[in-house]
Amino acid sequence: MARNDGQIVIKKYANRRLYNTGTSTYVTLDDLAVMVKKGEDFTVQDAKSGEDITHSVLTQIIFEQESKTGNTLLPISFLRQLISYYGDQMQMVVPSYLEHSMQAFTEQQAQMREQIDKTFGDTPLGKNLQVPMQLVEETVRRNTEMFQQAMKMFSPFANAAPAKETRKAEAKDLDELKEQLRALQTKLDNLG
């Protein structure tokens, strides 16, 4: 496989086709999504200029995944908050914070799965995802609170009214997340 500093290089041509130089094959955005899920490291370069366009291609994959599945991973309130940081003095802090938050979430997720396996094993309770989903909800709530507290540290003079609106939006998003988890639980119950 042709690699650039240990990474697979994907070339994007003017006709929007993507070429994996590692496998010498054309790939789709879905193929790249699978590579991401497998943990394969790659960069995407504009075939003509050589410019690194990985960020825009990954953003495009997220957009397509969000619209294709109907199951949104990014709540509206989160997207609004994210957009509000563009051009703000906090813009430089947000990427680092989000990266560390996702890393912590991934570690917590692995720990939760391990704990559930140790505690419940192959029992019916272990197969019932309601208890694990409650743990996920609690983790999401704690991470959201930590994010809000961190942002308050950087903007101590923030108006209280937007915070109230944000809490309402977050409560709505949490309710939507709970409903999605209930629907997932129902589907899993029907499979079992």
Side-chain angles (χ1 to χ4, degrees), residues 32-64:
L32 294 182
V34 169
M35 290 172 68
V36 168
K37 290 175 184 179
K38 288 181 178 179
E40 296 181 26
D41 197 12
F42 61 86
T43 59
V44 182
Q45 296 176 354
D46 181 276
K48 186 174 182 179
S49 68
E51 176 187 0
D52 185 342
I53 57 172
T54 307
H55 186 272
S56 64
V57 170
L58 292 175
T59 304
Q60 187 178 0
I61 290 170
I62 291 170
F63 175 76
E64 293 215 352

Side-chain angles (χ1 to χ4, degrees), residues 17-119:
R17 292 198 67 186
L18 299 163
Y19 184 76
N20 183 334
T21 61
T23 60
S24 299
T25 58
Y26 285 98
V27 294
T28 64
L29 290 176
D30 286 336
D31 295 328
L32 294 182
V34 169
M35 290 172 68
V36 168
K37 290 175 184 179
K38 288 181 178 179
E40 296 181 26
D41 197 12
F42 61 86
T43 59
V44 182
Q45 296 176 354
D46 181 276
K48 186 174 182 179
S49 68
E51 176 187 0
D52 185 342
I53 57 172
T54 307
H55 186 272
S56 64
V57 170
L58 292 175
T59 304
Q60 187 178 0
I61 290 170
I62 291 170
F63 175 76
E64 293 215 352
Q65 292 292 316
E66 289 273 314
S67 62
K68 184 185 341 182
T69 64
N71 295 328
T72 58
L73 201 60
L74 303 172
I76 291 173
S77 63
F78 173 81
L79 293 172
R80 289 180 194 272
Q81 284 179 318
L82 196 59
I83 290 168
S84 72
Y85 289 122
Y86 282 96
D88 187 279
Q89 61 188 6
M90 295 303 300
Q91 182 175 345
M92 293 173 41
V93 177
V94 173
S96 173
Y97 178 80
L98 291 175
E99 187 174 350
H100 290 295
S101 294
M102 286 304 293
Q103 184 178 3
F105 180 76
T106 301
E107 291 169 5
Q108 289 173 354
Q109 181 183 19
Q111 290 171 358
M112 279 192 297
R113 287 178 193 221
E114 185 179 311
Q115 187 63 37
I116 290 166
D117 286 344
K118 284 181 184 176
T119 304

